[in-house]
Amino acid sequence: MRRVRFYIASTLSNADQAEDVAAYLRARGWIQTFNWAELPVQTDIDQLPITADLELEGVMDADILFLLMPARRGSHIEMGAALAAGIPVVILSTSIEDVYDNGRPVSFYYHPLVAEHIIDSNWFSLACQAHKKGGTIARKHKRTYKEKRYVKNA
């Protein structure tokens, strides 16, 4: 059976939690397509296009994207890229409040390709559920929007 390839989108302030979830999945044989948390914080504007390419390539190579809340701008761009490419998304959060914006739901969190919202206050339990539910979703999903992969201009 082919191993599940995953990408975790989140904010830099969530890097430790993202790594905890990723380590749990990798320990179970999953392949992380790109780990942005290993990169130094970019302050050189000339390096940002390289980072953006690496992150987008990681999204496009994934079978499933986990949006680890709270998330910010870059995470939502990554989620949008996944949705546009037909890659299923699972939202992970330790708090239901993170899934709402000022008490209002965010429409893209309910897009048909957002297959699951997993809310659990315990990080370990969140990782366990991501593995169980995410694996099922990734294995049975077939890309429905765009079959072609992101290709960088040469």
Side-chain angles (χ1 to χ4, degrees):
M1 182 183 304
R2 188 166 104 59
R3 297 191 302 166
V4 177
R5 300 171 59 83
F6 72 97
Y7 185 91
I8 297 179
S10 195
T11 182
L12 283 172
S13 63
N14 241 6
D16 290 342
Q17 290 81 9
E19 180 52 31
D20 288 346
V21 173
Y24 183 89
L25 297 174
R26 289 191 310 263
R28 278 138 189 87
W30 289 31
I31 299 168
Q32 188 171 13
T33 57
F34 184 71
N35 188 352
W36 50 265
E38 292 177 345
L39 295 178
V41 175
Q42 294 296 330
T43 56
D44 180 357
I45 200 160
D46 293 332
Q47 291 299 312
L48 291 177
I50 296 167
T51 301
D53 263 352
L54 291 169
E55 290 177 348
L56 190 56
E57 196 172 293
V59 170
M60 301 309 282
D61 285 343
D63 299 317
I64 190 164
L65 180 136
F66 293 104
L67 180 67
L68 182 61
M69 303 298 283
R72 297 193 62 206
R73 300 172 302 189
S75 309
H76 288 93
I77 291 168
E78 292 163 341
M79 178 183 168
L83 294 175
I87 298 167
V89 173
V90 172
I91 296 175
L92 304 175
S93 181
T94 58
S95 170
I96 190 68
E97 287 80 26
D98 288 338
V99 181
Y100 290 90
D101 181 28
N102 296 322
R104 294 186 343 242
V106 176
S107 60
F108 282 99
Y109 292 175
Y110 297 91
H111 185 279
L113 282 172
V114 176
E116 189 80 41
H117 297 92
I118 302 174
I119 315 293
D120 196 308
S121 61
N122 180 287
W123 280 107
F124 181 74
S125 178
L126 202 63
C128 292
Q129 291 180 66
H131 177 254
K132 181 179 179 182
K133 293 179 181 179
T136 301
I137 292 163
R139 285 184 184 97
K140 73 177 184 180
H141 179 76
K142 293 183 179 160
R143 292 192 179 204
T144 55
Y145 284 17
K146 295 182 181 176
E147 293 296 326
K148 65 181 183 179
R149 298 280 191 171
Y150 167 75
V151 178
K152 292 188 285 187
N153 293 333

